[in-house]
Amino acid sequence: MSKHPGLAPYRSKRFLVLVWPLLALLACLTVWSATVIRAKAEQQRLDSQARKDAAAYAEAYEQYITRSVAQMDQITMQLKFSWENSRQPDLLDEMRRDGMFTDSAFHVVAVLDRSGVVRSSTRAGLVGTDLAAGNYFSQHRDNNSTALRVGAAPTQFGAAGDVVLFTRRLDTRDDEFDGIVLMAVDARYFTSFVGPATLGAGGVVALAGSEGRLRIEQYSDGAAFVDAGTLPRSNSLWTSDSGVRVVEGAGTGADAGQDGFLDGQPRVLGWRKSTVYPLVALVGLPQSEALASSNSYWIDSRDRAIIGTVCLLLLGAVGAALTHRATLREREQDEVRRAYRTATESGNDGFYMAAAVRARDGQILDFRIVDCNERGAFFYGVTRDQLVGSSLSQIDSSLFGEELLSTYRKAMEAGFHEDDRKMPSDNRLNISWGRRRLVRVGNGLAVTLQDISDKKAHESELERLANEDSLTGLATRHAFLHRMPAMLAQAQGASTGAALLFIDLDEFKHVNDSHGHATGDQLLKAAAGRLLSLLRPSDGVARFGGDEFVVLLNPCDGERQAASVAARIVDAFGVPFLIGDELHAVGASIGISLYPRDGVDAETLVRHADIAMYAGKNDGKSQYRFFDPSLSSTLNSRARLKQSMLEALEGDQFVLHYQPRVDARSGELLSMEALVRWRHPTLGMVAPGEFIPLAEATGLIVRIGETVIDKACAQLAAWREAGVALVPVSINVSPKQFLCGGVQRQLSGALARHRVPASLIEVEITESAMMGDQDDILAELAALRSLGVKLHVDDFGTGYSSLSQLQRLRMDVLKVDRAFTTELANSKEGKVFFQAIVSMAHALGMSVVAEGVETEEQLAILRGLDCNEVQGYYIARPVPADEMAGMMRRRYLLDMTVA
């Protein structure tokens, strides 16, 4: 076996490059051979035709001269009879008067007596002339035959060479010689058988005596001569009764003219002897006429052959060039095919070549697998040898029915087909999903089958994940909204109503912040399970996002049924959830919109139910509420407030007020907290409680926080320029801002921009902001600490913190929430709790700040508990920047008596 199987076809194609020129040469040889053969055949045909013409003319001429001589014979016989009976000298004159011998062809008619003297003549001058010396006279005298004699006439009977002499013996009653009858006739009378156009240039007709005494010739120009000397001298050429032969022109020398025409021109000579008279009719057709036709035919054929040869040679050259190009292209394609085969054999795609099997009318009956790779055969659970040669119908009937054959036929019609196809569930197949690509190639298809089973499984999983909440197993927001139109259409078709319940878990954020996301996730799963247990199979339910759920009651008979289900859900969610070893109490606030009363599409129903839910939550939580159009005004107010906040950010309407933080014993100003305020152009100063929650909910708190950082740094720079002795400013970072990241970048940018030392900035972060991924939180805190700023735990005690967590976070200051400060003077337990916090913080190396100090009693208790710093209305309310500058100049803010 060849190591390079692809080279054999290439060699055969390379051989075709030589075949084209060889075929062209062979075709040229054939053309020239045919041309020569046809030229020879034409020459032979023309020669044969010339022979036939010569023979035919000779036969016709023989009949013509036989009739003509027969006339002369009858005339001489009549004249003989008349003379022998009358012997009147004026006999010929009488006969001329009767109309005889008037033709111009009769030169002389005379009667000679036995002595050779002319007794009677049509030419009066000849009467009495002695013609006994003529050879013709002596022959009749010496021969008792009365037969007509034909010969050349002497000159006295006409122009030399153009008169034929006819003589006949006269006898007495005793049959003794009594003279002769003589007629001299123009030679043209016997040779005017055909015209010049018939004979052709150089044609000759002749009359010769078989005994050699007479020769009359007429040429194609009409001239007639007796013994003119053009015919061959030898009578041996026409010894037979008739015949045809080619007689060449006479040569030179002593024997010239014996066997050839004396003028040197070859002719086709045809002859025929008269059966009555000793005469031979001769016709000489010029061979040059036949040769000219033959030469003309040969020239035409040669010219056509030359043109054909040129065309064939060009065709051979073009064919060789095209074959060479095709060979190179096929070689390249073969190399590509070998490379493709190598690639397909080592690749993961199946490759097949399927040839169409057609009926006599051209319709496709089936396909036959003519080639495939091992991967392609593996997909069908067979080997390549088993699959190659199989018909598609065999595979079709056992696995796919008629679908596969139909697809292949469509691909042959269109030229291309591509689709993703789920394979039948069959143990023989090693593929569940395939991407087919069918391309028409000649009378077949090149098919590529790519195994996309894993991809489809992944897509199915992604679709499941996209449509199914991974935590609760409920439908996702996207999937629910996608299915809602069909569910609403079903309700419309059944002429029943539907109700959308928008459910929000109360206090879930508190559980999530205080106990961590893991507990929150467990609570959401338990809530989803409890919710499902309260619904019918026909109802739709989905986790809409965070701690929000939506339920579509389908069908629903109105408010009463919707209220009953909502009340049942509220009651069920009023029972605490047991997560681990702890009970967590969360309620449910539900907003309800009815279809079609409150909306006919999913978006409207969801929006109205959401509005109703928020209205119920604002009225006390853990209750349900139906949508009322008047509730939209509240939502519009929130939207207007959000828009106003956006305008406030753009219009620089946010300002900072500052609340001082002092030493608990000396009252010295140690720091201050920057608190944002909104100075609205028409509403005046807006309290933080009116816009901070909405800013947190909408995410605008991130931009507001960034504004606070920049304004605080800018104010420190302004105070420094004013010569005020500066103290640090603490900035609150919201949980959302902290978890979004970028606080370190914002701080470093502001510090550099305003050239403020990092030691003058402190960052306050609530416990809930530090309940996310510990690694990310530690990294963010480390980045902030690297700037040189102090870190505070704000509102400590309201969230979920542990001693280990505080130890890992390495915070600098612990700010105790005002709720613990308020309890200091109300109960012993309050002091105990606060004492424990102070002891823990000091043990961790943290300073303690008490928030919300409003009385002298609270200050005294805090001093006794060894609290480091205090902040609250008792010391000072938040004030604008100019008032804060005065406090920094005072430095000590507590009365000395109190201190």
Side-chain angles (χ1 to χ4, degrees), residues 80 83-84 87 111-117 119 137 140-141 143 145 167-172 176-182:
K80 170 182 169 63
W83 180 263
E84 287 179 344
R87 299 185 185 276
V111 178
L112 279 68
D113 59 14
R114 65 171 56 92
S115 60
V117 178
R119 295 299 182 187
F137 182 81
H140 281 296
R141 186 187 58 196
N143 191 341
S145 173
T167 58
R168 182 181 293 276
R169 174 186 171 102
L170 293 175
D171 292 318
T172 64
E176 293 295 331
F177 176 73
D178 194 30
I180 62 173
V181 175
L182 177 148

PDB file of all heavy atoms in Angstrom, residues 80 83-84 87 111-117 119 137 140-141 143 145 167-172 176-182:
ATOM      1  N   LYS A  80     -25.227   8.731-106.455  1.00  0.00           N
ATOM      2  CA  LYS A  80     -24.733   7.605-107.264  1.00  0.00           C
ATOM      3  C   LYS A  80     -25.863   7.041-108.118  1.00  0.00           C
ATOM      4  O   LYS A  80     -25.699   6.813-109.317  1.00  0.00           O
ATOM      5  CB  LYS A  80     -24.163   6.534-106.330  1.00  0.00           C
ATOM      6  CG  LYS A  80     -23.841   5.193-107.033  1.00  0.00           C
ATOM      7  CD  LYS A  80     -23.324   4.204-105.987  1.00  0.00           C
ATOM      8  CE  LYS A  80     -23.266   2.792-106.603  1.00  0.00           C
ATOM      9  NZ  LYS A  80     -22.342   2.675-107.723  1.00  0.00           N
ATOM     10  N   TRP A  83     -26.960   9.547-110.869  1.00  0.00           N
ATOM     11  CA  TRP A  83     -25.979   9.696-111.942  1.00  0.00           C
ATOM     12  C   TRP A  83     -25.930   8.454-112.805  1.00  0.00           C
ATOM     13  O   TRP A  83     -25.870   8.553-114.049  1.00  0.00           O
ATOM     14  CB  TRP A  83     -24.599   9.999-111.331  1.00  0.00           C
ATOM     15  CG  TRP A  83     -23.546  10.154-112.397  1.00  0.00           C
ATOM     16  CD1 TRP A  83     -22.681   9.227-112.845  1.00  0.00           C
ATOM     17  CD2 TRP A  83     -23.322  11.283-113.146  1.00  0.00           C
ATOM     18  NE1 TRP A  83     -21.901   9.702-113.819  1.00  0.00           N
ATOM     19  CE2 TRP A  83     -22.289  11.020-114.039  1.00  0.00           C
ATOM     20  CE3 TRP A  83     -23.881  12.573-113.193  1.00  0.00           C
ATOM     21  CZ2 TRP A  83     -21.793  11.960-114.936  1.00  0.00           C
ATOM     22  CZ3 TRP A  83     -23.361  13.456-114.083  1.00  0.00           C
ATOM     23  CH2 TRP A  83     -22.350  13.170-114.920  1.00  0.00           C
ATOM     24  N   GLU A  84     -25.950   7.340-112.150  1.00  0.00           N
ATOM     25  CA  GLU A  84     -25.860   6.100-112.955  1.00  0.00           C
ATOM     26  C   GLU A  84     -27.095   5.932-113.846  1.00  0.00           C
ATOM     27  O   GLU A  84     -27.012   5.293-114.909  1.00  0.00           O
ATOM     28  CB  GLU A  84     -25.714   4.893-112.021  1.00  0.00           C
ATOM     29  CG  GLU A  84     -24.354   4.812-111.394  1.00  0.00           C
ATOM     30  CD  GLU A  84     -24.244   3.629-110.446  1.00  0.00           C
ATOM     31  OE1 GLU A  84     -25.311   3.052-110.045  1.00  0.00           O
ATOM     32  OE2 GLU A  84     -23.100   3.275-110.046  1.00  0.00           O
ATOM     33  N   ARG A  87     -26.894  10.258-115.939  1.00  0.00           N
ATOM     34  CA  ARG A  87     -25.615  10.704-116.441  1.00  0.00           C
ATOM     35  C   ARG A  87     -25.723  12.090-117.081  1.00  0.00           C
ATOM     36  O   ARG A  87     -25.094  12.375-118.097  1.00  0.00           O
ATOM     37  CB  ARG A  87     -25.016   9.715-117.430  1.00  0.00           C
ATOM     38  CG  ARG A  87     -24.760   8.350-116.793  1.00  0.00           C
ATOM     39  CD  ARG A  87     -24.053   7.410-117.755  1.00  0.00           C
ATOM     40  NE  ARG A  87     -23.926   6.079-117.193  1.00  0.00           N
ATOM     41  CZ  ARG A  87     -22.949   5.715-116.376  1.00  0.00           C
ATOM     42  NH1 ARG A  87     -21.995   6.576-116.102  1.00  0.00           N
ATOM     43  NH2 ARG A  87     -22.917   4.476-115.889  1.00  0.00           N
ATOM     44  N   VAL A 111     -19.011  14.938-109.574  1.00  0.00           N
ATOM     45  CA  VAL A 111     -19.036  13.582-110.144  1.00  0.00           C
ATOM     46  C   VAL A 111     -17.859  13.473-111.109  1.00  0.00           C
ATOM     47  O   VAL A 111     -17.720  14.324-112.012  1.00  0.00           O
ATOM     48  CB  VAL A 111     -20.359  13.284-110.861  1.00  0.00           C
ATOM     49  CG1 VAL A 111     -20.330  11.886-111.477  1.00  0.00           C
ATOM     50  CG2 VAL A 111     -21.523  13.448-109.905  1.00  0.00           C
ATOM     51  N   LEU A 112     -17.005  12.447-110.904  1.00  0.00           N
ATOM     52  CA  LEU A 112     -15.840  12.251-111.755  1.00  0.00           C
ATOM     53  C   LEU A 112     -16.103  11.015-112.622  1.00  0.00           C
ATOM     54  O   LEU A 112     -16.676  10.013-112.144  1.00  0.00           O
ATOM     55  CB  LEU A 112     -14.581  12.017-110.909  1.00  0.00           C
ATOM     56  CG  LEU A 112     -13.896  13.261-110.322  1.00  0.00           C
ATOM     57  CD1 LEU A 112     -14.766  13.919-109.253  1.00  0.00           C
ATOM     58  CD2 LEU A 112     -12.534  12.854-109.688  1.00  0.00           C
ATOM     59  N   ASP A 113     -15.671  11.092-113.908  1.00  0.00           N
ATOM     60  CA  ASP A 113     -15.842   9.940-114.784  1.00  0.00           C
ATOM     61  C   ASP A 113     -14.723   8.949-114.530  1.00  0.00           C
ATOM     62  O   ASP A 113     -13.869   9.166-113.664  1.00  0.00           O
ATOM     63  CB  ASP A 113     -15.879  10.377-116.266  1.00  0.00           C
ATOM     64  CG  ASP A 113     -14.607  11.116-116.687  1.00  0.00           C
ATOM     65  OD1 ASP A 113     -13.615  11.049-115.908  1.00  0.00           O
ATOM     66  OD2 ASP A 113     -14.608  11.754-117.731  1.00  0.00           O
ATOM     67  N   ARG A 114     -14.676   7.927-115.313  1.00  0.00           N
ATOM     68  CA  ARG A 114     -13.724   6.858-115.037  1.00  0.00           C
ATOM     69  C   ARG A 114     -12.281   7.283-115.257  1.00  0.00           C
ATOM     70  O   ARG A 114     -11.365   6.667-114.770  1.00  0.00           O
ATOM     71  CB  ARG A 114     -14.055   5.622-115.929  1.00  0.00           C
ATOM     72  CG  ARG A 114     -13.879   5.858-117.419  1.00  0.00           C
ATOM     73  CD  ARG A 114     -14.000   4.539-118.177  1.00  0.00           C
ATOM     74  NE  ARG A 114     -15.239   3.869-117.925  1.00  0.00           N
ATOM     75  CZ  ARG A 114     -16.315   4.004-118.640  1.00  0.00           C
ATOM     76  NH1 ARG A 114     -16.338   4.847-119.687  1.00  0.00           N
ATOM     77  NH2 ARG A 114     -17.416   3.323-118.353  1.00  0.00           N
ATOM     78  N   SER A 115     -12.144   8.414-115.956  1.00  0.00           N
ATOM     79  CA  SER A 115     -10.780   8.888-116.198  1.00  0.00           C
ATOM     80  C   SER A 115     -10.354   9.911-115.167  1.00  0.00           C
ATOM     81  O   SER A 115      -9.228  10.418-115.197  1.00  0.00           O
ATOM     82  CB  SER A 115     -10.671   9.481-117.607  1.00  0.00           C
ATOM     83  OG  SER A 115     -11.573  10.579-117.740  1.00  0.00           O
ATOM     84  N   GLY A 116     -11.224  10.258-114.294  1.00  0.00           N
ATOM     85  CA  GLY A 116     -10.888  11.193-113.227  1.00  0.00           C
ATOM     86  C   GLY A 116     -11.219  12.613-113.534  1.00  0.00           C
ATOM     87  O   GLY A 116     -10.843  13.515-112.778  1.00  0.00           O
ATOM     88  N   VAL A 117     -11.968  12.871-114.674  1.00  0.00           N
ATOM     89  CA  VAL A 117     -12.317  14.233-115.073  1.00  0.00           C
ATOM     90  C   VAL A 117     -13.672  14.556-114.445  1.00  0.00           C
ATOM     91  O   VAL A 117     -14.599  13.741-114.478  1.00  0.00           O
ATOM     92  CB  VAL A 117     -12.350  14.375-116.580  1.00  0.00           C
ATOM     93  CG1 VAL A 117     -12.771  15.786-116.975  1.00  0.00           C
ATOM     94  CG2 VAL A 117     -10.962  14.063-117.169  1.00  0.00           C
ATOM     95  N   ARG A 119     -17.177  15.768-114.246  1.00  0.00           N
ATOM     96  CA  ARG A 119     -18.245  15.907-115.210  1.00  0.00           C
ATOM     97  C   ARG A 119     -19.341  16.846-114.708  1.00  0.00           C
ATOM     98  O   ARG A 119     -19.962  17.533-115.487  1.00  0.00           O
ATOM     99  CB  ARG A 119     -18.851  14.541-115.539  1.00  0.00           C
ATOM    100  CG  ARG A 119     -17.877  13.618-116.230  1.00  0.00           C
ATOM    101  CD  ARG A 119     -17.427  14.205-117.539  1.00  0.00           C
ATOM    102  NE  ARG A 119     -16.507  13.287-118.240  1.00  0.00           N
ATOM    103  CZ  ARG A 119     -15.872  13.624-119.329  1.00  0.00           C
ATOM    104  NH1 ARG A 119     -16.037  14.854-119.820  1.00  0.00           N
ATOM    105  NH2 ARG A 119     -15.052  12.768-119.934  1.00  0.00           N
ATOM    106  N   PHE A 137      -9.209   8.570-105.658  1.00  0.00           N
ATOM    107  CA  PHE A 137      -9.690   8.112-106.963  1.00  0.00           C
ATOM    108  C   PHE A 137      -9.110   6.759-107.284  1.00  0.00           C
ATOM    109  O   PHE A 137      -9.828   5.852-107.716  1.00  0.00           O
ATOM    110  CB  PHE A 137      -9.344   9.145-108.045  1.00  0.00           C
ATOM    111  CG  PHE A 137      -9.851   8.772-109.398  1.00  0.00           C
ATOM    112  CD1 PHE A 137     -11.187   9.009-109.746  1.00  0.00           C
ATOM    113  CD2 PHE A 137      -9.020   8.156-110.352  1.00  0.00           C
ATOM    114  CE1 PHE A 137     -11.639   8.633-111.008  1.00  0.00           C
ATOM    115  CE2 PHE A 137      -9.506   7.784-111.604  1.00  0.00           C
ATOM    116  CZ  PHE A 137     -10.823   8.034-111.925  1.00  0.00           C
ATOM    117  N   HIS A 140     -10.749   3.870-105.314  1.00  0.00           N
ATOM    118  CA  HIS A 140     -12.047   3.393-105.810  1.00  0.00           C
ATOM    119  C   HIS A 140     -11.864   2.655-107.133  1.00  0.00           C
ATOM    120  O   HIS A 140     -12.566   1.682-107.408  1.00  0.00           O
ATOM    121  CB  HIS A 140     -13.003   4.574-106.005  1.00  0.00           C
ATOM    122  CG  HIS A 140     -13.620   5.059-104.709  1.00  0.00           C
ATOM    123  ND1 HIS A 140     -14.464   4.281-103.950  1.00  0.00           N
ATOM    124  CD2 HIS A 140     -13.495   6.244-104.045  1.00  0.00           C
ATOM    125  CE1 HIS A 140     -14.824   4.962-102.896  1.00  0.00           C
ATOM    126  NE2 HIS A 140     -14.226   6.183-102.935  1.00  0.00           N
ATOM    127  N   ARG A 141     -10.972   3.128-107.937  1.00  0.00           N
ATOM    128  CA  ARG A 141     -10.749   2.504-109.247  1.00  0.00           C
ATOM    129  C   ARG A 141     -10.183   1.113-109.099  1.00  0.00           C
ATOM    130  O   ARG A 141     -10.561   0.206-109.838  1.00  0.00           O
ATOM    131  CB  ARG A 141      -9.785   3.398-110.075  1.00  0.00           C
ATOM    132  CG  ARG A 141      -9.576   2.931-111.530  1.00  0.00           C
ATOM    133  CD  ARG A 141      -8.495   3.761-112.177  1.00  0.00           C
ATOM    134  NE  ARG A 141      -7.229   3.643-111.414  1.00  0.00           N
ATOM    135  CZ  ARG A 141      -6.206   4.475-111.558  1.00  0.00           C
ATOM    136  NH1 ARG A 141      -6.281   5.505-112.381  1.00  0.00           N
ATOM    137  NH2 ARG A 141      -5.108   4.297-110.852  1.00  0.00           N
ATOM    138  N   ASN A 143     -10.502  -0.780-106.501  1.00  0.00           N
ATOM    139  CA  ASN A 143     -11.277  -1.596-105.551  1.00  0.00           C
ATOM    140  C   ASN A 143     -12.723  -1.545-105.997  1.00  0.00           C
ATOM    141  O   ASN A 143     -13.298  -0.475-106.183  1.00  0.00           O
ATOM    142  CB  ASN A 143     -11.134  -1.039-104.144  1.00  0.00           C
ATOM    143  CG  ASN A 143     -11.702  -1.995-103.112  1.00  0.00           C
ATOM    144  OD1 ASN A 143     -12.505  -2.890-103.408  1.00  0.00           O
ATOM    145  ND2 ASN A 143     -11.267  -1.818-101.885  1.00  0.00           N
ATOM    146  N   SER A 145     -15.309  -2.124-104.463  1.00  0.00           N
ATOM    147  CA  SER A 145     -16.273  -1.889-103.373  1.00  0.00           C
ATOM    148  C   SER A 145     -16.951  -0.557-103.609  1.00  0.00           C
ATOM    149  O   SER A 145     -16.323   0.442-103.977  1.00  0.00           O
ATOM    150  CB  SER A 145     -15.570  -1.852-102.016  1.00  0.00           C
ATOM    151  OG  SER A 145     -16.470  -1.469-101.017  1.00  0.00           O
ATOM    152  N   THR A 167     -16.301   9.943-100.656  1.00  0.00           N
ATOM    153  CA  THR A 167     -16.312   9.463-102.048  1.00  0.00           C
ATOM    154  C   THR A 167     -16.972   8.101-102.111  1.00  0.00           C
ATOM    155  O   THR A 167     -16.949   7.355-101.122  1.00  0.00           O
ATOM    156  CB  THR A 167     -14.877   9.359-102.597  1.00  0.00           C
ATOM    157  OG1 THR A 167     -14.133   8.482-101.771  1.00  0.00           O
ATOM    158  CG2 THR A 167     -14.200  10.722-102.638  1.00  0.00           C
ATOM    159  N   ARG A 168     -17.587   7.858-103.327  1.00  0.00           N
ATOM    160  CA  ARG A 168     -18.227   6.553-103.512  1.00  0.00           C
ATOM    161  C   ARG A 168     -18.026   6.157-104.992  1.00  0.00           C
ATOM    162  O   ARG A 168     -18.065   7.008-105.866  1.00  0.00           O
ATOM    163  CB  ARG A 168     -19.713   6.615-103.184  1.00  0.00           C
ATOM    164  CG  ARG A 168     -20.422   5.252-103.318  1.00  0.00           C
ATOM    165  CD  ARG A 168     -21.891   5.386-103.005  1.00  0.00           C
ATOM    166  NE  ARG A 168     -22.150   5.702-101.599  1.00  0.00           N
ATOM    167  CZ  ARG A 168     -22.209   4.802-100.621  1.00  0.00           C
ATOM    168  NH1 ARG A 168     -22.034   3.521-100.883  1.00  0.00           N
ATOM    169  NH2 ARG A 168     -22.462   5.178 -99.400  1.00  0.00           N
ATOM    170  N   ARG A 169     -17.813   4.907-105.198  1.00  0.00           N
ATOM    171  CA  ARG A 169     -17.527   4.348-106.540  1.00  0.00           C
ATOM    172  C   ARG A 169     -18.803   4.355-107.379  1.00  0.00           C
ATOM    173  O   ARG A 169     -19.871   4.022-106.908  1.00  0.00           O
ATOM    174  CB  ARG A 169     -17.008   2.923-106.396  1.00  0.00           C
ATOM    175  CG  ARG A 169     -16.814   2.177-107.703  1.00  0.00           C
ATOM    176  CD  ARG A 169     -16.451   0.733-107.369  1.00  0.00           C
ATOM    177  NE  ARG A 169     -16.442  -0.103-108.532  1.00  0.00           N
ATOM    178  CZ  ARG A 169     -15.375  -0.518-109.194  1.00  0.00           C
ATOM    179  NH1 ARG A 169     -14.186  -0.201-108.741  1.00  0.00           N
ATOM    180  NH2 ARG A 169     -15.472  -1.299-110.271  1.00  0.00           N
ATOM    181  N   LEU A 170     -18.662   4.731-108.681  1.00  0.00           N
ATOM    182  CA  LEU A 170     -19.739   4.639-109.662  1.00  0.00           C
ATOM    183  C   LEU A 170     -19.484   3.401-110.530  1.00  0.00           C
ATOM    184  O   LEU A 170     -18.350   3.148-110.938  1.00  0.00           O
ATOM    185  CB  LEU A 170     -19.794   5.890-110.532  1.00  0.00           C
ATOM    186  CG  LEU A 170     -20.194   7.200-109.812  1.00  0.00           C
ATOM    187  CD1 LEU A 170     -20.074   8.365-110.780  1.00  0.00           C
ATOM    188  CD2 LEU A 170     -21.607   7.086-109.286  1.00  0.00           C
ATOM    189  N   ASP A 171     -20.525   2.699-110.865  1.00  0.00           N
ATOM    190  CA  ASP A 171     -20.376   1.471-111.645  1.00  0.00           C
ATOM    191  C   ASP A 171     -21.278   1.550-112.894  1.00  0.00           C
ATOM    192  O   ASP A 171     -22.317   2.219-112.893  1.00  0.00           O
ATOM    193  CB  ASP A 171     -20.782   0.242-110.837  1.00  0.00           C
ATOM    194  CG  ASP A 171     -19.811  -0.010-109.689  1.00  0.00           C
ATOM    195  OD1 ASP A 171     -18.576   0.118-109.887  1.00  0.00           O
ATOM    196  OD2 ASP A 171     -20.301  -0.322-108.537  1.00  0.00           O
ATOM    197  N   THR A 172     -20.781   0.834-113.899  1.00  0.00           N
ATOM    198  CA  THR A 172     -21.619   0.677-115.088  1.00  0.00           C
ATOM    199  C   THR A 172     -22.602  -0.414-114.792  1.00  0.00           C
ATOM    200  O   THR A 172     -22.572  -1.037-113.725  1.00  0.00           O
ATOM    201  CB  THR A 172     -20.754   0.322-116.305  1.00  0.00           C
ATOM    202  OG1 THR A 172     -20.132  -0.948-116.076  1.00  0.00           O
ATOM    203  CG2 THR A 172     -19.710   1.383-116.579  1.00  0.00           C
ATOM    204  N   GLU A 176     -18.679  -2.289-113.846  1.00  0.00           N
ATOM    205  CA  GLU A 176     -17.332  -1.841-114.111  1.00  0.00           C
ATOM    206  C   GLU A 176     -17.189  -0.445-113.546  1.00  0.00           C
ATOM    207  O   GLU A 176     -18.147   0.295-113.365  1.00  0.00           O
ATOM    208  CB  GLU A 176     -17.059  -1.834-115.631  1.00  0.00           C
ATOM    209  CG  GLU A 176     -17.048  -3.213-116.260  1.00  0.00           C
ATOM    210  CD  GLU A 176     -15.914  -4.055-115.749  1.00  0.00           C
ATOM    211  OE1 GLU A 176     -14.844  -3.478-115.376  1.00  0.00           O
ATOM    212  OE2 GLU A 176     -16.066  -5.300-115.678  1.00  0.00           O
ATOM    213  N   PHE A 177     -15.946  -0.096-113.280  1.00  0.00           N
ATOM    214  CA  PHE A 177     -15.667   1.212-112.692  1.00  0.00           C
ATOM    215  C   PHE A 177     -16.074   2.296-113.655  1.00  0.00           C
ATOM    216  O   PHE A 177     -15.661   2.296-114.813  1.00  0.00           O
ATOM    217  CB  PHE A 177     -14.166   1.337-112.365  1.00  0.00           C
ATOM    218  CG  PHE A 177     -13.781   2.688-111.850  1.00  0.00           C
ATOM    219  CD1 PHE A 177     -14.146   3.058-110.553  1.00  0.00           C
ATOM    220  CD2 PHE A 177     -13.064   3.593-112.638  1.00  0.00           C
ATOM    221  CE1 PHE A 177     -13.764   4.292-110.087  1.00  0.00           C
ATOM    222  CE2 PHE A 177     -12.697   4.835-112.148  1.00  0.00           C
ATOM    223  CZ  PHE A 177     -13.062   5.207-110.843  1.00  0.00           C
ATOM    224  N   ASP A 178     -16.883   3.268-113.143  1.00  0.00           N
ATOM    225  CA  ASP A 178     -17.402   4.294-114.014  1.00  0.00           C
ATOM    226  C   ASP A 178     -17.142   5.680-113.455  1.00  0.00           C
ATOM    227  O   ASP A 178     -17.741   6.638-113.878  1.00  0.00           O
ATOM    228  CB  ASP A 178     -18.900   4.084-114.234  1.00  0.00           C
ATOM    229  CG  ASP A 178     -19.430   4.907-115.395  1.00  0.00           C
ATOM    230  OD1 ASP A 178     -18.663   5.164-116.327  1.00  0.00           O
ATOM    231  OD2 ASP A 178     -20.610   5.303-115.308  1.00  0.00           O
ATOM    232  N   GLY A 179     -16.286   5.736-112.449  1.00  0.00           N
ATOM    233  CA  GLY A 179     -15.964   7.032-111.841  1.00  0.00           C
ATOM    234  C   GLY A 179     -16.329   7.035-110.336  1.00  0.00           C
ATOM    235  O   GLY A 179     -16.648   6.013-109.740  1.00  0.00           O
ATOM    236  N   ILE A 180     -16.383   8.280-109.780  1.00  0.00           N
ATOM    237  CA  ILE A 180     -16.706   8.361-108.352  1.00  0.00           C
ATOM    238  C   ILE A 180     -17.605   9.563-108.093  1.00  0.00           C
ATOM    239  O   ILE A 180     -17.647  10.511-108.878  1.00  0.00           O
ATOM    240  CB  ILE A 180     -15.450   8.501-107.475  1.00  0.00           C
ATOM    241  CG1 ILE A 180     -14.694   9.803-107.802  1.00  0.00           C
ATOM    242  CG2 ILE A 180     -14.541   7.275-107.606  1.00  0.00           C
ATOM    243  CD1 ILE A 180     -13.532  10.104-106.877  1.00  0.00           C
ATOM    244  N   VAL A 181     -18.321   9.462-107.017  1.00  0.00           N
ATOM    245  CA  VAL A 181     -19.091  10.603-106.492  1.00  0.00           C
ATOM    246  C   VAL A 181     -18.267  11.200-105.350  1.00  0.00           C
ATOM    247  O   VAL A 181     -17.768  10.475-104.488  1.00  0.00           O
ATOM    248  CB  VAL A 181     -20.467  10.160-105.975  1.00  0.00           C
ATOM    249  CG1 VAL A 181     -21.185  11.342-105.338  1.00  0.00           C
ATOM    250  CG2 VAL A 181     -21.269   9.593-107.120  1.00  0.00           C
ATOM    251  N   LEU A 182     -18.158  12.511-105.372  1.00  0.00           N
ATOM    252  CA  LEU A 182     -17.269  13.158-104.398  1.00  0.00           C
ATOM    253  C   LEU A 182     -18.032  14.283-103.701  1.00  0.00           C
ATOM    254  O   LEU A 182     -18.718  15.073-104.343  1.00  0.00           O
ATOM    255  CB  LEU A 182     -16.035  13.720-105.136  1.00  0.00           C
ATOM    256  CG  LEU A 182     -15.005  14.505-104.340  1.00  0.00           C
ATOM    257  CD1 LEU A 182     -13.622  14.269-104.950  1.00  0.00           C
ATOM    258  CD2 LEU A 182     -15.305  16.011-104.362  1.00  0.00           C
TER     259      LEU A 182
END
